């Protein structure tokens, strides 16, 4: 019998590479996509050797509008379909809305919002036909908190992913697709290359270690949550506490707290 296949975006580093490792360890085949083909090839070889699964590499830039269709066409050509989709690729766009070009903002929305939604839309009919599907949208704790100055669209895009995941999960249940689950995974600070990529490592290195999580428990809790049909998961006790706090503090106080803190880990120039 063919093994199930999980498609993971942003699999060349951090949380995405950890998703690939955990799904492969569970005996799933994996399809790995990101821009850096060399990294994906190395990971694919590691997983095939260690877990005796098939790891397919598809190098694509999700900022290109054609990428989601091309990724799925590449799988179809190999006769494979997607049983689980992890929309994980992402980055932080440093600077302010004033200082960044519309091209940069447009690419950001394409990679972190439009491409994940298009991938969901394209894989869902097959999942419905087969009666099984798992979708994890990697959002962020930032989607809960008040909007901040700097990295302006990050919180709104992640908040959108959380709401979308809740809605899609509810829609699947309402339409009787009982074994298709969609979950927004909302990590807080997680060790990965994220803060190197957006140039904020110097600021984030000054933050207390208890605020950080390794990718391993973040991903494990995401997979467990989607399997039990939980629409949103905030991994870790500290992050859960912060998510609760952001809901109960009065809005003006929440905004003031975010404004005060965000200079510590956001690049504003
Ligand atoms: N780390 C955190 O503290 C944290 C907290 C909350 C949420 N998150 C979210 O977690 C997700 C994963 O981030 P991470 O922490 O694992 O960061 P990371 O280590 O920097 O990995 C980001 C991944 O996204 C891929 N990517 C970036 N731009 C892309 C593009 N245009 N096309 C295709 N792939 C692209 C990168 O691959 P290539 O460069 O090879 O293309 C890389 O594989 C993101 O959605 C992020 O917003 C992270």
């Amino acid at each position: 019998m063919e093994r199930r296949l999980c498609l993971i975006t942003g699999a060349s580093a951090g949380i995405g590479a950890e998703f690939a490792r955990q799904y492969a360890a569970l005996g799933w085949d994996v399809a790995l996509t990101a821009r850096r083909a060399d990294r994906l090839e190395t990971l694919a070889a590691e997983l095939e050797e260690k877990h005796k699964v098939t790891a397919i590499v598809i190098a694509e830039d999700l900022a290109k509008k054609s990428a989601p269709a091309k990724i799925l066409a590449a799988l179809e050509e190999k006769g494979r379909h997607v049983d689980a989709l992890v929309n994980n690729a992402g980055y932080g766009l440093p600077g302010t809305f004033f200082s960044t070009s519309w091209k940069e903002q447009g690419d950001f929305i394409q990679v972190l919002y439009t491409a994940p939604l298009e991938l969901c839309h394209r894989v869902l009919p097959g999942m419905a036909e087969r009666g099984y599907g798992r979708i994890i949208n990697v959002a962020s704790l930032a989607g809960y908190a008040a909007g901040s100055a700097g990295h302006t669209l990050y919180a709104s895009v992640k908040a959108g992913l959380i709401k979308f995941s809740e809605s899609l999960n509810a829609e699947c249940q309402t339409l009787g697709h009982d074994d298709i689950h969609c979950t927004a995974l909302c990590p807080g600070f997680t060790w990965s290359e994220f803060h190197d990529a957006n140039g904020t490592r110097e600021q984030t290195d000054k933050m207390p270690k208890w605020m950080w999580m390794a990718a391993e428990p973040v991903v494990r809790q995401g997979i467990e949550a989607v399997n039990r049909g939980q629409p949103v998961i905030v991994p870790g006790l500290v992050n859960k506490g912060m998510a609760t706090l952001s809901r109960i503090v009065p809005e003006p106080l929440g905004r003031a707290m975010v404004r005060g803190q965000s200079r510590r880990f956001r690049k504003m120039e």
Side-chain angles (χ1 to χ4, degrees), residues 10 12 15 35-36 61-62 88 139 154 158 188 190 192-194:
S12 64
I15 295 171
R35 291 165 300 181
R36 288 171 289 179
D61 181 352
L62 286 175
N88 161 80
Y154 190 78
K158 295 300 191 181
T190 307
S192 72
E193 296 173 21
F194 184 87

Side-chain angles (χ1 to χ4, degrees), residues 168-185:
L168 184 59
N169 198 60
E171 202 167 297
C172 289
Q173 305 311 300
T174 307
L175 294 176
H177 303 304
D178 295 335
D179 211 7
I180 303 180
H181 305 163
C182 178
T183 294
L185 170 63

Side-chain angles (χ1 to χ4, degrees), residues 6-228:
C6 178
L7 168 63
I8 302 148
T9 72
S12 64
I15 295 171
E18 181 61 26
F19 264 110
R21 291 196 170 95
Q22 291 198 24
Y23 267 106
L26 290 168
W28 286 56
D29 289 342
V30 286
L32 313 175
T33 185
R35 291 165 300 181
R36 288 171 289 179
D38 53 337
R39 290 244 195 148
L40 297 176
E41 294 290 356
T42 305
L43 179 59
E46 173 199 317
L47 300 180
E48 291 196 337
E49 162 76 17
K50 194 166 172 192
H51 301 294
K52 311 294 173 220
V53 298
T54 301
I56 301 166
V57 168
I58 308 165
E60 277 295 337
D61 181 352
L62 286 175
K64 295 188 180 149
K65 289 196 169 76
S66 56
K70 280 170 86 176
I71 292 167
L72 296 176
L75 287 176
E76 208 174 310
E77 245 172 57
K78 291 180 186 295
R80 300 304 305 263
H81 58 254
V82 175
D83 300 295
L85 165 66
V86 180
N87 278 312
N88 161 80
Y91 57 97
L93 191 54
T96 64
F97 203 66
F98 283 86
S99 67
T100 39
S101 67
W102 181 246
K103 164 89 174 94
E104 288 171 297
Q105 298 291 351
D107 284 355
F108 181 81
I109 297 166
Q110 184 66 32
V111 175
L112 278 91
Y113 200 56
T114 310
L117 302 196
E118 184 178 346
L119 283 169
C120 289
H121 198 264
R122 284 180 180 275
V123 300
L124 276 164
M127 288 179 170
E129 210 172 284
R130 293 182 295 275
Y132 180 89
R134 298 286 183 265
I135 295 176
I136 299 175
N137 293 316
V138 181
S140 171
L141 199 53
Y144 276 91
S148 66
H151 302 213
T152 329
L153 277 183
Y154 190 78
S156 57
V157 157
K158 295 300 191 181
L161 267 188
I162 296 171
K163 282 290 166 231
F164 166 71
S165 305
E166 278 180 331
S167 294
L168 184 59
N169 198 60
E171 202 167 297
C172 289
Q173 305 311 300
T174 307
L175 294 176
H177 303 304
D178 295 335
D179 211 7
I180 303 180
H181 305 163
C182 178
T183 294
L185 170 63
C186 305
F189 289 105
T190 307
W191 299 114
S192 72
E193 296 173 21
F194 184 87
H195 298 95
D196 305 301
N198 74 8
T200 58
R201 178 62 66 202
E202 205 187 317
Q203 288 97 318
T204 54
D205 270 355
K206 293 179 192 140
M207 300 178 63
K209 299 283 174 280
W210 55 262
M211 292 187 80
W212 292 83
M213 277 181 82
E216 189 278 325
V218 169
V219 166
R220 184 170 27 81
Q221 290 177 44
I223 295 174
E224 285 167 2
V226 80
N227 284 337
R228 59 176 177 261

